[in-house]
Amino acid sequence: METLELKKQKVEEVKPITISGSAAVLEAFLAEGVDTIFGYPGGAIMPIYDALYDYNNRLKHILVRHEQGAIHAAQGYARASGKTGVVFATSGPAATNLVTGLADAMIDSTPVVCVTGQVFAHLLGTDAFQETDVINITTPITKWNYQVTDAKEIPSVLAKAFHIAGTGRPGPVLIDITKNAQLQMIEYSGYEKCTHIRSYRPKPIVRKEYIEEAAKLINEAKKPFVIFGQGVILGKAEKEFTKFIEKGGLPAAWTIMGMSAIPTNHPLAVGMLGMHGNYGPNLLTNECDVLIAVGMRFDDRVTGRLDKYAKQAKVIHLDIDPAEIDKNVKATVGVWGDCKETLPLLTELIQQKVYPQWLKQFKDCTTKEEDKVIKEELNPSKDELTMGEVIKLLNDLTKGEAIIVTDVGQHQMVACRYAQMNQSKSNITSGGLGTMGFALPAAIGAKYGAPDRTVVAIIGDGGVQMTIQELGTIMQFKPDVKILILNNSFLGMVRQWQELFHQNRYSFVDITSPDFVQVAKGYYIDGQSVNERSKLKGALETMLNHKGSYLLEVKVGKENNVFPMVPQGRGVAEIVLCKEEL
Amino acid sequence: MQKQEFTITVYTENQVGLLNRIAIIFSRRKINIESLNTSPSEVDSVHRFTIVINEYEEVVRKLCRQIEKQVDVLKAYYNTNDEIVWQELAMYKVPTDVIAEEVKVERLLSQHGAKAVVIRKDYTVFEVSGHREETDKLIEVLEPFGLIEFVRSARVAIIKNSDGFHSKLKEFEYKEPGEHAVENEFLDKNQEVFSM
Ligand SMILES: Cc1ncc(C[n+]2csc(CCOP(=O)(O)OP(=O)(O)O)c2C)c(N)n1
């Protein structure tokens, strides 16, 4: 069949050399600036691994312990570096092991290119050994996927893959290559990057009319409020965004995915949105008169009940993905486009302003939250350790310079609530999918993506047991990852819901753990466990100063809850500060 | 607002797997596809999907955006029935001897605009194209006379106020397409052809 790819290949060929399809894959990686591959070999991808043998000095390959680990590592790499993460896996069970990571990368817009091996083309559909229909399995969880059965397609398909994964609203791409195509010899005349696909428009064209309308709304606003998501980070528009809020004097709150796009201590930063976000930004969402959403998608964890969400406000929504505008919240003015382009245009048209009264309302909320929640969390009166005090000490020691990779649960919410972050790409977490087991492999990837930064993985005792095998990857390749387990001996977040909404009926949330320090020792990773306040700071210092990876387990109070909380099914303004308010 | 019939027209690249990618946009939201047709379009190499669903306009608009977001999709339009010209093709297999004997049947068939496609000793196949109500009516008519088989095709539709895809495609092929290619709903709401 003459596909589009083959047609394109026909034009202009210059002095070709003969290489295998497998080598063509690796040549594509080199041309795309890939330096690290996370992967795991197997039958259907052996030709590519064979070729890799000769590229070993130019491409680093990290052998993970499970393919889920490979893709989470690639995600961590992408999120820490801003580049596209790359994964190799074989067919069948290996490909299906990627599914969770693909879904995670899809919902969190993370650029990843996965190359999976596939059985010989002539065996497709015969239930061959380790054959699985990976293209159809992954269709809803990839931005694009494609099966290659003819090696001549490899250069242009990979060029497309990188273009699609990394541009516009980024996302995961999976390329499934049959074994015959990996082995096939082709005439190769160099790699050409893909810069345009006629059916794919990564960035909608910016229309000035909407910028003008948006600016007008902002200029007339008495209580404007900016909420931003990961779009600011993905668009590399941190500076543009900062200029925008600073000129407009606009208070700004982040979604969990947007965190660190501006320093957490920026004077206009008013905290985190969402179910366990800060009191002020949630409450005042329903008091602002103009709500300016930048690169965020109004997830239900951010909006709570939609029919009680910001009904009083005019909504300006800036997004690169047209499908997001009006999807959940109807925009008064939708500004389609890359925020790196739209924000400066908007900044130019808005007036220089300050809103002292309005900002004071946020400050008052903070004071209330401090009194009712934060004080006790960060400076507990009880003997039991809290997760919050661990994060506070970590802030003191890292000065907000570390990359914090979190798993999913109470520790994630607490870490994101209290961690201090001075620079962008410091917060790596599974926001949209809430994938337990994400943090350990993602932290490994983050270290390769940002080798000069301290990487701290903060994980619950439940989540760490989901991908604990990746300690083996750390043992073998020695990325310097600090592993901080906040052990409450429960599946804490589920326990909290059972306590609050299921009348204390603790149904299978009591989880036992191995001796984590011993486990780490088994992997030749140093570590210790603490359960006393007096030892905590020293232990954190030891961890951070340790040469190489280190595991620190902190035993915290078993039945602490994360507050504030917007209970499910309620409006954002119905946020509660403690159990009694529920 | 009420649920009504909408016809979605999607221009796409010719890629294996795209049918699944588009179909799951509906099934994921538990939306039933009433009819789905794929065919070539007026432009060489560009495929055309015609999808019929019964939904609220708001939902249809969002679906179109999700469809258009797919990498291999060029454009998605949605229209109400009065904005399109549409047809479905139906075929009916009836015993030949019955028709030969009963003059009434022949009259009924011609009243419904049926054309014989195949005439054999044992059976005759008639074809009718039209709207669903029309082709449905003929089933009722033919049932008493021993209708053996019935089949109806998916809907195909032409958008009344469309200039076709040739000029649009040119825009798409440019690296920096003009506003045509990236229509913004807010500006284009006055256009008679709904598009996003
Ligand atoms: C793969 C997966 N399975 C189940 C869940 C549901 N879940 C969300 S939070 C949570 C508890 C996590 O417990 P732990 O890792 O100990 O962290 P904690 O909440 O105690 O900080 C569970 C089970 C999930 N998010 N991901």
Side-chain angles (χ1 to χ4, degrees), chain A residues 218-263:
Chain A
I218 297 171
N219 287 336
E220 285 164 2
K222 303 256 170 336
K223 295 178 170 185
F225 180 31
V226 175
I227 58 181
F228 64 95
Q230 196 193 195
V232 176
I233 299 171
L234 292 171
K236 302 184 170 58
E238 294 91 344
K239 279 204 191 92
E240 291 78 0
F241 180 77
T242 308
K243 277 194 190 138
F244 167 64
I245 57 168
E246 284 177 355
K247 181 171 181 194
L250 306 163
W254 51 84
T255 68
I256 192 167
M257 296 302 291
M259 184 176 185
S260 84
I262 58 171

Short mmCIF file of all heavy atoms in Angstrom, two decimals, chain A residues 218-263:
data_model
loop_
_atom_site.label_atom_id
_atom_site.label_comp_id
_atom_site.label_asym_id
_atom_site.label_seq_id
_atom_site.Cartn_x
_atom_site.Cartn_y
_atom_site.Cartn_z
N ILE A 218 -10.27 42.77 31.31
CA ILE A 218 -9.31 42.87 32.41
C ILE A 218 -9.21 44.31 32.89
O ILE A 218 -9.19 44.58 34.09
CB ILE A 218 -7.93 42.32 31.98
CG1 ILE A 218 -8.03 40.83 31.66
CG2 ILE A 218 -6.87 42.58 33.06
CD1 ILE A 218 -6.79 40.22 31.03
N ASN A 219 -9.17 45.24 31.94
CA ASN A 219 -9.02 46.64 32.32
C ASN A 219 -10.22 47.17 33.09
O ASN A 219 -10.11 48.10 33.88
CB ASN A 219 -8.75 47.50 31.08
CG ASN A 219 -7.34 47.28 30.56
OD1 ASN A 219 -6.45 46.86 31.31
ND2 ASN A 219 -7.14 47.54 29.28
N GLU A 220 -11.39 46.58 32.85
CA GLU A 220 -12.58 47.04 33.55
C GLU A 220 -12.80 46.31 34.86
O GLU A 220 -13.70 46.65 35.63
CB GLU A 220 -13.82 46.82 32.65
CG GLU A 220 -13.91 47.82 31.52
CD GLU A 220 -14.89 47.36 30.43
OE1 GLU A 220 -15.51 46.28 30.59
OE2 GLU A 220 -15.00 48.09 29.43
N ALA A 221 -11.99 45.29 35.11
CA ALA A 221 -12.25 44.43 36.27
C ALA A 221 -11.94 45.13 37.58
O ALA A 221 -11.04 45.96 37.67
CB ALA A 221 -11.44 43.15 36.15
N LYS A 222 -12.74 44.77 38.61
CA LYS A 222 -12.44 45.26 39.96
C LYS A 222 -11.71 44.16 40.74
O LYS A 222 -10.91 44.43 41.61
CB LYS A 222 -13.75 45.57 40.69
CG LYS A 222 -14.64 46.58 39.98
CD LYS A 222 -14.55 47.92 40.66
CE LYS A 222 -15.19 49.06 39.90
NZ LYS A 222 -15.36 48.98 38.47
N LYS A 223 -12.07 42.92 40.43
CA LYS A 223 -11.48 41.79 41.15
C LYS A 223 -11.04 40.71 40.16
O LYS A 223 -11.62 39.63 40.11
CB LYS A 223 -12.50 41.20 42.13
CG LYS A 223 -12.89 42.15 43.25
CD LYS A 223 -13.95 41.49 44.13
CE LYS A 223 -14.17 42.32 45.39
NZ LYS A 223 -15.09 41.64 46.31
N PRO A 224 -10.00 41.03 39.39
CA PRO A 224 -9.56 40.02 38.42
C PRO A 224 -8.73 38.93 39.12
O PRO A 224 -8.08 39.19 40.14
CB PRO A 224 -8.66 40.83 37.49
CG PRO A 224 -8.12 41.94 38.35
CD PRO A 224 -9.18 42.25 39.37
N PHE A 225 -8.81 37.74 38.59
CA PHE A 225 -8.13 36.62 39.23
C PHE A 225 -7.60 35.69 38.14
O PHE A 225 -8.34 35.26 37.27
CB PHE A 225 -9.13 35.90 40.15
CG PHE A 225 -8.57 34.71 40.88
CD1 PHE A 225 -7.23 34.65 41.27
CD2 PHE A 225 -9.40 33.63 41.21
CE1 PHE A 225 -6.73 33.55 41.96
CE2 PHE A 225 -8.91 32.53 41.90
CZ PHE A 225 -7.56 32.49 42.27
N VAL A 226 -6.29 35.42 38.21
CA VAL A 226 -5.66 34.57 37.22
C VAL A 226 -5.48 33.16 37.78
O VAL A 226 -5.01 32.98 38.90
CB VAL A 226 -4.27 35.13 36.81
CG1 VAL A 226 -3.56 34.17 35.86
CG2 VAL A 226 -4.43 36.49 36.17
N ILE A 227 -5.88 32.17 37.01
CA ILE A 227 -5.59 30.78 37.39
C ILE A 227 -4.82 30.15 36.25
O ILE A 227 -5.15 30.34 35.08
CB ILE A 227 -6.89 30.00 37.71
CG1 ILE A 227 -7.84 30.00 36.53
CG2 ILE A 227 -7.58 30.60 38.92
CD1 ILE A 227 -9.14 29.26 36.80
N PHE A 228 -3.71 29.46 36.58
CA PHE A 228 -2.88 28.96 35.48
C PHE A 228 -2.49 27.51 35.69
O PHE A 228 -2.41 27.01 36.80
CB PHE A 228 -1.64 29.84 35.29
CG PHE A 228 -0.69 29.84 36.46
CD1 PHE A 228 0.42 28.98 36.48
CD2 PHE A 228 -0.87 30.69 37.53
CE1 PHE A 228 1.31 28.99 37.55
CE2 PHE A 228 0.01 30.69 38.61
CZ PHE A 228 1.10 29.84 38.63
N GLY A 229 -2.24 26.88 34.55
CA GLY A 229 -1.89 25.46 34.57
C GLY A 229 -0.56 25.21 33.91
O GLY A 229 0.24 26.12 33.68
N GLN A 230 -0.37 23.95 33.56
CA GLN A 230 0.91 23.54 33.01
C GLN A 230 1.20 24.16 31.64
O GLN A 230 2.33 24.16 31.18
CB GLN A 230 0.95 22.01 32.91
CG GLN A 230 2.34 21.45 32.71
CD GLN A 230 2.37 19.97 32.31
OE1 GLN A 230 3.41 19.36 32.38
NE2 GLN A 230 1.29 19.40 31.89
N GLY A 231 0.14 24.68 31.01
CA GLY A 231 0.34 25.32 29.71
C GLY A 231 1.44 26.37 29.74
O GLY A 231 2.18 26.54 28.77
N VAL A 232 1.56 27.06 30.87
CA VAL A 232 2.59 28.10 30.99
C VAL A 232 3.99 27.46 30.92
O VAL A 232 4.90 27.97 30.27
CB VAL A 232 2.42 28.89 32.30
CG1 VAL A 232 3.54 29.91 32.48
CG2 VAL A 232 1.06 29.57 32.34
N ILE A 233 4.13 26.31 31.56
CA ILE A 233 5.43 25.62 31.58
C ILE A 233 5.69 24.97 30.22
O ILE A 233 6.76 25.11 29.64
CB ILE A 233 5.46 24.56 32.70
CG1 ILE A 233 5.28 25.24 34.07
CG2 ILE A 233 6.77 23.77 32.66
CD1 ILE A 233 5.09 24.27 35.23
N LEU A 234 4.68 24.27 29.70
CA LEU A 234 4.85 23.59 28.41
C LEU A 234 5.11 24.60 27.29
O LEU A 234 5.85 24.31 26.36
CB LEU A 234 3.60 22.76 28.09
CG LEU A 234 3.37 21.55 28.99
CD1 LEU A 234 1.99 20.95 28.72
CD2 LEU A 234 4.45 20.50 28.79
N GLY A 235 4.50 25.77 27.43
CA GLY A 235 4.70 26.81 26.42
C GLY A 235 5.98 27.60 26.63
O GLY A 235 6.25 28.55 25.91
N LYS A 236 6.75 27.23 27.65
CA LYS A 236 7.98 27.95 28.01
C LYS A 236 7.69 29.45 28.10
O LYS A 236 8.42 30.29 27.58
CB LYS A 236 9.09 27.66 27.00
CG LYS A 236 9.40 26.16 26.89
CD LYS A 236 10.58 25.87 25.97
CE LYS A 236 11.04 24.43 26.04
NZ LYS A 236 10.04 23.40 25.71
N ALA A 237 6.58 29.76 28.74
CA ALA A 237 6.11 31.14 28.77
C ALA A 237 6.14 31.71 30.19
O ALA A 237 5.36 32.60 30.53
CB ALA A 237 4.70 31.22 28.20
N GLU A 238 7.05 31.19 31.01
CA GLU A 238 7.09 31.65 32.40
C GLU A 238 7.34 33.16 32.49
O GLU A 238 6.69 33.85 33.27
CB GLU A 238 8.17 30.89 33.20
CG GLU A 238 7.90 29.40 33.37
CD GLU A 238 8.50 28.54 32.26
OE1 GLU A 238 8.86 29.09 31.18
OE2 GLU A 238 8.60 27.31 32.44
N LYS A 239 8.28 33.63 31.67
CA LYS A 239 8.61 35.07 31.72
C LYS A 239 7.43 35.90 31.24
O LYS A 239 7.08 36.91 31.86
CB LYS A 239 9.82 35.35 30.81
CG LYS A 239 11.14 35.03 31.46
CD LYS A 239 12.27 35.83 30.81
CE LYS A 239 13.61 35.31 31.28
NZ LYS A 239 14.16 34.27 30.38
N GLU A 240 6.85 35.48 30.14
CA GLU A 240 5.71 36.21 29.58
C GLU A 240 4.56 36.25 30.59
O GLU A 240 3.89 37.26 30.74
CB GLU A 240 5.24 35.55 28.28
CG GLU A 240 6.20 35.68 27.10
CD GLU A 240 7.38 34.72 27.13
OE1 GLU A 240 7.47 33.93 28.09
OE2 GLU A 240 8.21 34.76 26.21
N PHE A 241 4.39 35.14 31.27
CA PHE A 241 3.30 35.07 32.25
C PHE A 241 3.58 36.00 33.42
O PHE A 241 2.69 36.73 33.88
CB PHE A 241 3.14 33.63 32.74
CG PHE A 241 2.04 33.46 33.75
CD1 PHE A 241 0.72 33.43 33.34
CD2 PHE A 241 2.33 33.37 35.10
CE1 PHE A 241 -0.31 33.30 34.26
CE2 PHE A 241 1.31 33.25 36.03
CZ PHE A 241 -0.01 33.21 35.61
N THR A 242 4.81 35.99 33.89
CA THR A 242 5.17 36.83 35.03
C THR A 242 4.97 38.31 34.69
O THR A 242 4.41 39.08 35.48
CB THR A 242 6.64 36.57 35.44
OG1 THR A 242 6.79 35.17 35.61
CG2 THR A 242 6.99 37.27 36.73
N LYS A 243 5.40 38.68 33.49
CA LYS A 243 5.22 40.07 33.07
C LYS A 243 3.74 40.43 33.05
O LYS A 243 3.35 41.53 33.44
CB LYS A 243 5.80 40.28 31.66
CG LYS A 243 7.29 40.53 31.69
CD LYS A 243 7.77 41.06 30.34
CE LYS A 243 9.28 41.07 30.31
NZ LYS A 243 9.82 40.62 29.05
N PHE A 244 2.96 39.51 32.57
CA PHE A 244 1.51 39.73 32.46
C PHE A 244 0.90 40.00 33.84
O PHE A 244 0.24 41.03 34.04
CB PHE A 244 0.88 38.51 31.80
CG PHE A 244 -0.62 38.44 31.88
CD1 PHE A 244 -1.41 39.40 31.24
CD2 PHE A 244 -1.25 37.41 32.56
CE1 PHE A 244 -2.79 39.32 31.31
CE2 PHE A 244 -2.63 37.33 32.63
CZ PHE A 244 -3.41 38.30 32.00
N ILE A 245 1.15 39.12 34.79
CA ILE A 245 0.51 39.33 36.10
C ILE A 245 1.10 40.54 36.81
O ILE A 245 0.40 41.26 37.52
CB ILE A 245 0.53 38.09 37.01
CG1 ILE A 245 1.94 37.58 37.25
CG2 ILE A 245 -0.34 36.98 36.44
CD1 ILE A 245 2.03 36.53 38.36
N GLU A 246 2.40 40.79 36.58
CA GLU A 246 3.02 41.90 37.29
C GLU A 246 2.51 43.25 36.76
O GLU A 246 2.24 44.16 37.53
CB GLU A 246 4.55 41.82 37.20
CG GLU A 246 5.08 40.74 38.14
CD GLU A 246 6.58 40.54 38.07
OE1 GLU A 246 7.23 41.17 37.21
OE2 GLU A 246 7.11 39.72 38.87
N LYS A 247 2.36 43.36 35.47
CA LYS A 247 1.82 44.61 34.94
C LYS A 247 0.37 44.82 35.39
O LYS A 247 -0.01 45.89 35.82
CB LYS A 247 1.89 44.62 33.41
CG LYS A 247 1.37 45.93 32.82
CD LYS A 247 1.63 46.05 31.34
CE LYS A 247 1.10 47.38 30.81
NZ LYS A 247 1.03 47.41 29.35
N GLY A 248 -0.39 43.77 35.33
CA GLY A 248 -1.80 43.89 35.67
C GLY A 248 -2.07 43.89 37.17
O GLY A 248 -3.19 44.12 37.60
N GLY A 249 -1.03 43.60 37.96
CA GLY A 249 -1.21 43.49 39.41
C GLY A 249 -2.18 42.37 39.76
O GLY A 249 -2.95 42.45 40.72
N LEU A 250 -2.14 41.31 38.97
CA LEU A 250 -3.18 40.27 39.05
C LEU A 250 -2.78 39.14 39.99
O LEU A 250 -1.75 38.51 39.79
CB LEU A 250 -3.41 39.69 37.64
CG LEU A 250 -3.73 40.69 36.54
CD1 LEU A 250 -3.52 40.07 35.16
CD2 LEU A 250 -5.15 41.20 36.68
N PRO A 251 -3.60 38.88 41.00
CA PRO A 251 -3.32 37.73 41.85
C PRO A 251 -3.44 36.45 41.02
O PRO A 251 -4.33 36.35 40.18
CB PRO A 251 -4.41 37.79 42.92
CG PRO A 251 -5.48 38.67 42.37
CD PRO A 251 -4.81 39.61 41.40
N ALA A 252 -2.54 35.50 41.27
CA ALA A 252 -2.52 34.30 40.43
C ALA A 252 -2.39 33.05 41.28
O ALA A 252 -1.60 32.98 42.21
CB ALA A 252 -1.34 34.38 39.45
N ALA A 253 -3.19 32.05 40.94
CA ALA A 253 -3.15 30.76 41.62
C ALA A 253 -2.88 29.67 40.59
O ALA A 253 -3.27 29.79 39.44
CB ALA A 253 -4.48 30.49 42.32
N TRP A 254 -2.19 28.61 41.03
CA TRP A 254 -1.85 27.54 40.09
C TRP A 254 -2.68 26.30 40.33
O TRP A 254 -3.14 26.04 41.44
CB TRP A 254 -0.36 27.20 40.18
CG TRP A 254 0.13 26.92 41.58
CD1 TRP A 254 0.07 25.75 42.26
CD2 TRP A 254 0.77 27.87 42.46
NE1 TRP A 254 0.63 25.90 43.51
CE2 TRP A 254 1.07 27.17 43.66
CE3 TRP A 254 1.12 29.22 42.35
CZ2 TRP A 254 1.70 27.80 44.73
CZ3 TRP A 254 1.74 29.83 43.43
CH2 TRP A 254 2.02 29.12 44.60
N THR A 255 -2.82 25.53 39.26
CA THR A 255 -3.32 24.18 39.40
C THR A 255 -2.11 23.35 39.82
O THR A 255 -0.96 23.82 39.72
CB THR A 255 -3.84 23.62 38.08
OG1 THR A 255 -2.74 23.45 37.18
CG2 THR A 255 -4.87 24.55 37.44
N ILE A 256 -2.33 22.11 40.21
CA ILE A 256 -1.19 21.28 40.63
C ILE A 256 -0.18 21.16 39.49
O ILE A 256 1.02 21.12 39.71
CB ILE A 256 -1.67 19.91 41.16
CG1 ILE A 256 -0.54 19.19 41.87
CG2 ILE A 256 -2.23 19.03 40.05
CD1 ILE A 256 -0.99 17.99 42.68
N MET A 257 -0.68 21.11 38.27
CA MET A 257 0.21 20.96 37.12
C MET A 257 0.95 22.25 36.78
O MET A 257 1.99 22.22 36.14
CB MET A 257 -0.56 20.47 35.90
CG MET A 257 -1.18 19.09 36.04
SD MET A 257 0.01 17.80 36.40
CE MET A 257 0.91 17.73 34.86
N GLY A 258 0.39 23.37 37.17
CA GLY A 258 1.01 24.65 36.84
C GLY A 258 2.04 25.08 37.88
O GLY A 258 2.82 26.01 37.66
N MET A 259 2.05 24.38 39.01
CA MET A 259 2.92 24.77 40.11
C MET A 259 4.37 24.88 39.67
O MET A 259 4.85 24.01 38.93
CB MET A 259 2.81 23.74 41.24
CG MET A 259 3.60 24.10 42.46
SD MET A 259 3.32 22.88 43.76
CE MET A 259 4.26 23.67 45.07
N SER A 260 5.03 25.91 40.13
CA SER A 260 6.44 26.26 39.87
C SER A 260 6.64 27.09 38.61
O SER A 260 7.76 27.53 38.34
CB SER A 260 7.37 25.03 39.87
OG SER A 260 7.39 24.39 38.60
N ALA A 261 5.59 27.35 37.85
CA ALA A 261 5.75 28.23 36.68
C ALA A 261 6.17 29.62 37.14
O ALA A 261 6.92 30.32 36.45
CB ALA A 261 4.46 28.30 35.89
N ILE A 262 5.68 30.04 38.30
CA ILE A 262 6.22 31.23 38.95
C ILE A 262 6.71 30.77 40.33
O ILE A 262 6.22 29.77 40.85
CB ILE A 262 5.19 32.38 39.10
CG1 ILE A 262 3.96 31.93 39.91
CG2 ILE A 262 4.75 32.90 37.74
CD1 ILE A 262 3.00 33.06 40.27
N PRO A 263 7.68 31.46 40.91
CA PRO A 263 8.14 31.04 42.24
C PRO A 263 6.96 31.01 43.21
O PRO A 263 6.09 31.88 43.16
CB PRO A 263 9.14 32.13 42.62
CG PRO A 263 9.55 32.77 41.34
CD PRO A 263 8.40 32.64 40.41
#
